[in-house]
Amino acid sequence: MKFTHKQERKPEKSIFSVKIKLKIDLAAMVPCFRFRSCCYILVLVSSLSSISFLYWSYSSVQTEGLKESQLRFEKVNLLMFPSALNHLIFPSRPPPRLLKIALFVKKWPSKHQAGGLERHALTLHLALAKRGHELHIFTTSSSNLTTVNNVYFHLSKPTSAGYLDQALIWKQFQAVSWHGIAYESIHSDIIQELIRAPEEPQSYALTERVVKVVEEIKFFPHYAHHVATSDHVGDILKRVYMIPEEHVHIILNGVDEEIFKPDVSKGKDFKLKFGIPESKSIILGMAGRLVKDKGHPLMFEALRQIFSENSTFRDSVIVVIAGDGPWGDRYKQLGSNLLVLGPLEQSQLARFYNAIDIFVNPTLRAQGLDHTLLEAILTGKTVMATKLASITGSVIVSKDVGYTFPPTVGSLKKALYEVWKDGRAILESKGESARKRGLQLFTATKMAAAYERLFLCIYSNDYCVL
């Protein structure tokens, strides 16, 4: 095992002795007991499948009508605030106390090619490091180590399956966040079963998932604090998992507002570079992994039927896809107005959002809060996505900011036709409304400030009241 963190600074006394029992891939280090003596807070990054974070989703409690100007004059206790902490106003001045934060992640991503959860890990922790906090990242050997002040890497050999060895980590720390929980996965399993082709074998995942939910409900109380990344998951934790409200905190995901922002010239350059004609009345955009659980069989069939039955739609709309996966080649079969670009680096992805009129996310996964939606919103684009609780509860909360559809081919076709009939002017208006809301809730700055203040609150009750 190799350690690359600085040795000059004497570790401070530990703040937490945390109980944690995760059935997921975490980092485990023999020297963890010693490192614990210099950590104030641990952020566990491990999802139910690969890497992950502090995650969840929320609730029936809405704060859309709660203006930030009102919150400015009212005392708010972070531990009792019922909705996403993103709705609160946090001071921009330097934090009153600098923290040492440990992050356990299977693989540290490349800054320019991170996707999904990896991008969230990167965005949040680099933002915390820029705020002056000391980040210790436990990960397997990687060539993508970021050179940033206050960020120190601790490398270890992965297990035979390629994961971090979690055995010694479970008993060490106290705060955890979730990208998805088994209860949310049940919704995804139901959708997959409903759209299953007759010739495909029936899955027994639903039965197994119910057992998993019961197991989670039993062991989740061992965590002192839970962070949900959507309003829906926060609600489920409180009602279904029966976690006391003061132990469940909602912090919506955020993306880098300095990268994802409106820029007409970059959009024009992108269209010129990839040969996207200006004559098209609507440019639909999709991005991410082009796989089944991201809803691409659904999107493929909806587009195939529309192109077949409506030549005017086919000739006036172009679909631009950034990503790779087995459905990329299938999309190309639909004709020349399907442009599959392959995966894009973050800077190119920002240009991609500026080039499109609307971003479509047909995902069938009911877990977490998808970052592509937030990136498109901060770029000033309206969005369309599957009607899943995390999305409708936190992101597309009204028709003023976007479109939603149940996960069926017929419903998706109806939504696509609605977008086409609305036209570019209405899409631009919805995009402006979405960005205005997004700047209040979905920026990396707001997300990092919320985590920082929650960590300080966990450290001392003196920091819990705003």
Side-chain angles (χ1 to χ4, degrees):
M1 185 180 305
K2 179 182 178 182
F3 291 89
T4 59
H5 66 290
K6 291 183 177 179
Q7 300 291 335
E8 309 88 76
R9 296 179 60 176
K10 184 177 180 181
E12 300 181 40
K13 186 177 180 181
S14 69
I15 302 302
F16 297 120
S17 173
V18 184
K19 293 286 185 181
I20 212 157
K21 297 181 180 178
L22 280 182
K23 286 185 159 187
I24 41 189
D25 19 287
L26 304 182
M29 307 251 166
V30 174
C32 182
F33 291 93
R34 287 179 290 160
F35 179 77
R36 174 181 158 223
S37 67
C38 70
C39 283
Y40 290 141
I41 298 175
L42 170 82
V43 180
L44 279 173
V45 179
S46 258
S47 93
L48 301 178
S49 57
S50 54
I51 76 167
S52 87
F53 246 59
L54 307 142
Y55 285 94
W56 307 53
S57 310
Y58 130 76
S59 99
S60 57
V61 180
Q62 296 293 327
T63 59
E64 292 303 316
L66 188 60
K67 303 297 184 182
E68 288 192 343
S69 57
Q70 289 176 287
L71 295 174
R72 187 179 292 115
F73 301 105
E74 297 176 6
K75 294 286 186 179
V76 175
N77 188 319
L78 262 63
L79 298 184
M80 301 305 296
F81 192 64
S83 300
L85 300 186
N86 307 58
H87 290 279
L88 300 174
I89 298 174
F90 300 96
S92 58
R93 60 180 179 271
R97 186 182 187 94
L98 295 180
L99 303 172
K100 292 185 174 69
I101 302 171
L103 167 66
F104 293 80
V105 57
K106 172 185 173 183
K107 180 182 178 183
W108 187 246
S110 166
K111 182 175 182 180
H112 299 293
Q113 295 182 325
L117 182 58
E118 292 177 329
R119 191 179 303 161
H120 172 68
L122 195 68
T123 301
L124 172 58
H125 290 85
L126 292 186
L128 289 170
K130 289 178 181 178
R131 291 278 292 165
H133 302 293
E134 190 172 298
L135 272 293
H136 291 264
I137 298 170
F138 291 81
T139 186
T140 57
S141 299
S142 172
S143 60
N144 297 320
L145 302 186
T146 309
T147 304
V148 177
N149 290 337
N150 303 327
V151 177
Y152 310 102
F153 289 90
H154 308 263
L155 306 181
S156 67
K157 296 180 67 174
T159 64
S160 58
Y163 299 107
L164 291 169
D165 182 2
Q166 62 184 358
L168 296 179
I169 296 300
W170 286 2
K171 299 179 181 180
Q172 297 308 303
F173 297 95
Q174 162 170 304
V176 63
S177 87
W178 302 92
H179 183 62
I181 54 178
Y183 186 91
E184 276 194 305
S185 300
I186 290 177
H187 190 184
S188 299
D189 294 335
I190 291 172
I191 293 172
Q192 294 281 7
E193 183 61 23
L194 288 174
I195 66 172
R196 177 178 60 86
E199 65 273 12
E200 293 180 355
Q202 184 174 11
S203 171
Y204 295 95
L206 270 172
T207 302
E208 299 172 358
R209 198 80 68 185
V210 171
V211 174
K212 182 70 176 295
V213 170
V214 174
E215 291 176 350
E216 287 186 348
I217 292 173
K218 288 180 178 179
F219 76 72
F220 276 16
H222 290 282
Y223 303 112
H225 294 277
H226 305 258
V227 178
T229 58
S230 76
D231 298 291
H232 169 66
V233 171
D235 181 54
I236 295 302
L237 290 179
K238 296 171 187 176
R239 292 190 300 105
V240 179
Y241 286 64
M242 296 173 285
I243 305 297
E245 290 195 9
E246 64 270 22
H247 296 296
V248 176
H249 321 289
I250 302 164
I251 302 178
L252 305 178
N253 290 344
V255 297
D256 193 332
E257 65 270 30
E258 294 303 318
I259 295 176
F260 299 103
K261 57 185 178 182
D263 192 318
V264 175
S265 63
K266 287 183 178 179
K268 289 182 177 179
D269 290 344
F270 187 91
K271 286 186 277 190
L272 184 63
K273 177 179 179 180
F274 290 100
I276 302 172
E278 294 282 358
S279 59
K280 298 294 183 180
S281 62
I282 298 291
I283 302 174
L284 298 174
M286 294 189 290
R289 293 186 300 116
L290 308 181
V291 294
K292 180 179 179 180
D293 65 344
K294 293 296 187 179
H296 291 288
L298 200 70
M299 188 67 176
F300 176 88
E301 182 59 22
L303 289 173
R304 187 191 68 78
Q305 292 185 20
I306 292 176
F307 289 169
S308 176
E309 67 194 25
N310 193 318
S311 59
T312 306
F313 184 106
R314 183 187 62 230
D315 295 338
S316 61
V317 172
I318 186 169
V319 183
V320 183
I321 305 170
D324 59 358
W327 285 89
D329 289 336
R330 295 171 190 173
Y331 276 126
K332 293 176 183 178
Q333 299 171 11
L334 293 179
S336 59
N337 55 336
L338 264 292
L339 186 59
V340 182
L341 307 179
L344 300 178
E345 292 189 355
Q346 198 172 60
S347 59
Q348 281 290 90
L349 193 57
R351 291 177 169 83
F352 158 82
Y353 290 123
N354 273 290
I356 64 177
D357 295 306
I358 181 171
F359 180 77
V360 183
N361 184 347
T363 183
L364 303 181
R365 298 190 64 182
Q367 295 174 285
L369 200 61
D370 200 301
H371 289 79
T372 56
L373 291 171
L374 310 185
E375 291 167 354
I377 285 172
L378 286 196
T379 314
K381 303 301 176 179
T382 189
V383 293
M384 183 170 80
T386 318
K387 191 176 288 184
L388 300 174
S390 289
I391 293 173
T392 58
S394 299
V395 183
I396 309 177
V397 295
S398 73
K399 290 186 176 181
D400 293 335
V401 296
Y403 305 79
T404 60
F405 58 90
T408 67
V409 172
S411 298
L412 178 51
K413 286 175 60 180
K414 182 179 179 181
L416 289 169
Y417 273 126
E418 183 180 359
V419 167
W420 181 51
K421 291 176 180 177
D422 281 350
R424 184 166 286 163
I426 290 179
L427 297 182
E428 288 177 354
S429 176
K430 289 177 181 286
E432 291 173 1
S433 297
R435 174 170 162 78
K436 182 178 179 181
R437 183 173 182 271
L439 288 173
Q440 294 176 346
L441 300 177
F442 303 134
T443 66
T445 299
K446 176 58 76 72
M447 174 181 65
Y451 273 99
E452 175 185 273
R453 190 64 184 223
L454 177 62
F455 290 167
L456 287 167
C457 173
I458 294 173
Y459 165 73
S460 171
N461 287 335
D462 294 340
Y463 301 111
C464 290
V465 177
L466 288 176

